[in-house]
Amino acid sequence: AQRVTQPEKLLSVFKGAPVELKCNYSYSGSPELFWYVQYSRQRLQLLLRHISRESIKGFTADLNKGETSFHLKKPFAQEEDSAMYYCALRASGAGSYQLTFGKGTKLSVIP
Amino acid sequence: DTAVSQTPKYLVTQMGNDKSIKCEQNLGHDTMYWYKQDSKKFLKIMFSYNNKELIINETVPNRFSPKSPDKAHLNLHINSLELGDSAVYFCASSPMVGGGGGDMDTQYFGPGTRLTVL
């Protein structure tokens, strides 16, 4: 069974400081990894996925299969980045339907 | 306005009551999901339907029964509500399951329904 671990419940950084939200996963096959974000009083929404190799709102995440990690990074935090961030994994292959979410990390950017 | 919508937004009820939460998506997606987010913000999948058929049924009490009258709707009915059922329930949809990545797997979430059981 797959598992996603986000070791930090809360991460506080100052505006302009670099941000790294950690995500580690456990899965024997080839996973697909996602980051979802939930701003205050808003719905959960997709931030980025590893296969796209894109940068969204200045955030990037690289899948490191050796370390089984998919950390989310941003060089300079902004106040509007304050939100709850969830790392999620979808197993590959037939019958792989569900997303397994980590417990989330609350990012607080201090002005 | 294309989206995933849920009603009601807030639901306050007494223990023992039966209640339903409705979810509708007009995105033309094949797959819909129900998630529970507890007070610690932990998000856990409960059910998933693909083209009106149940494909995921995690370990939830059988007091919870999803119903999908058509591909665009997935309602959640809860019998004999308990204090521990208090949470935010999110509906989501995706174009398809196992789509091999890309946009086909992206899940779009509803705004959530905050259920409070007194």
Side-chain angles (χ1 to χ4, degrees):
Chain A
Q2 55 263 32
R3 191 168 64 202
V4 177
T5 303
Q6 293 178 249
E8 302 140 329
K9 276 178 79 171
L10 174 65
L11 181 64
S12 296
V13 301
F14 285 101
K15 179 182 171 182
V19 175
E20 183 178 50
L21 297 163
K22 290 186 167 52
C23 172
N24 289 91
Y25 66 89
S26 171
Y27 177 59
S28 56
S30 188
E32 294 181 37
L33 276 299
F34 306 80
W35 275 100
Y36 279 80
V37 60
Q38 186 179 24
Y39 299 103
S40 178
R41 301 181 186 279
Q42 293 189 30
R43 67 187 70 197
L44 203 67
Q45 54 188 290
L46 178 69
L47 181 61
L48 53 80
R49 47 183 174 256
H50 90 270
I51 57 170
S52 301
R53 295 182 174 273
E54 57 200 346
S55 173
I56 303 292
K57 300 185 179 183
F59 284 98
T60 58
D62 291 318
L63 179 60
N64 186 324
K65 291 187 179 181
E67 295 182 359
T68 60
S69 68
F70 188 57
H71 303 327
L72 183 68
K73 298 178 184 178
K74 184 170 181 176
F76 307 105
Q78 303 297 315
E79 287 180 66
E80 55 265 30
D81 296 329
S82 295
M84 196 77 186
Y85 291 81
Y86 292 92
C87 182
L89 176 152
R90 192 179 74 79
S92 57
S96 303
Y97 302 116
Q98 66 191 73
L99 284 177
T100 299
F101 283 88
K103 293 193 175 184
T105 298
K106 184 173 181 179
L107 175 65
S108 178
V109 180
I110 305 162
Chain B
D1 188 23
T2 55
V4 180
S5 59
Q6 294 177 229
T7 53
K9 200 170 177 181
Y10 299 96
L11 184 54
V12 181
T13 188
Q14 300 282 341
M15 275 176 59
N17 284 349
D18 302 340
K19 290 293 177 186
S20 292
I21 307 172
K22 295 185 178 180
C23 178
E24 176 182 3
Q25 55 94 4
N26 58 4
L27 298 164
H29 290 170
D30 286 338
T31 310
M32 296 184 73
Y33 312 78
W34 275 109
Y35 290 86
K36 180 180 179 181
Q37 185 181 45
D38 62 24
S39 59
K40 295 181 180 177
K41 301 291 188 182
F42 184 38
L43 197 65
K44 195 169 189 318
I45 190 158
M46 301 173 70
F47 302 102
S48 178
Y49 270 70
N50 187 53
N51 277 320
K52 300 197 300 174
E53 288 188 26
L54 181 67
I55 56 172
I56 296 173
N57 183 357
E58 290 297 300
T59 308
V60 298
N62 56 15
R63 299 181 294 104
F64 290 78
S65 53
K67 287 187 172 49
S68 182
D70 56 57
K71 209 171 74 164
H73 295 84
L74 181 62
N75 303 323
L76 185 65
H77 190 75
I78 316 169
N79 288 329
S80 303
L81 279 155
E82 300 177 357
L83 293 177
D85 298 333
S86 295
V88 180
Y89 292 85
F90 285 98
C91 177
S93 70
S94 65
M96 60 187 293
V97 295
D103 289 338
M104 302 310 286
D105 286 319
T106 300
Q107 293 190 20
Y108 296 82
F109 284 78
T113 296
R114 183 175 293 277
L115 171 65
T116 303
V117 182
L118 303 174

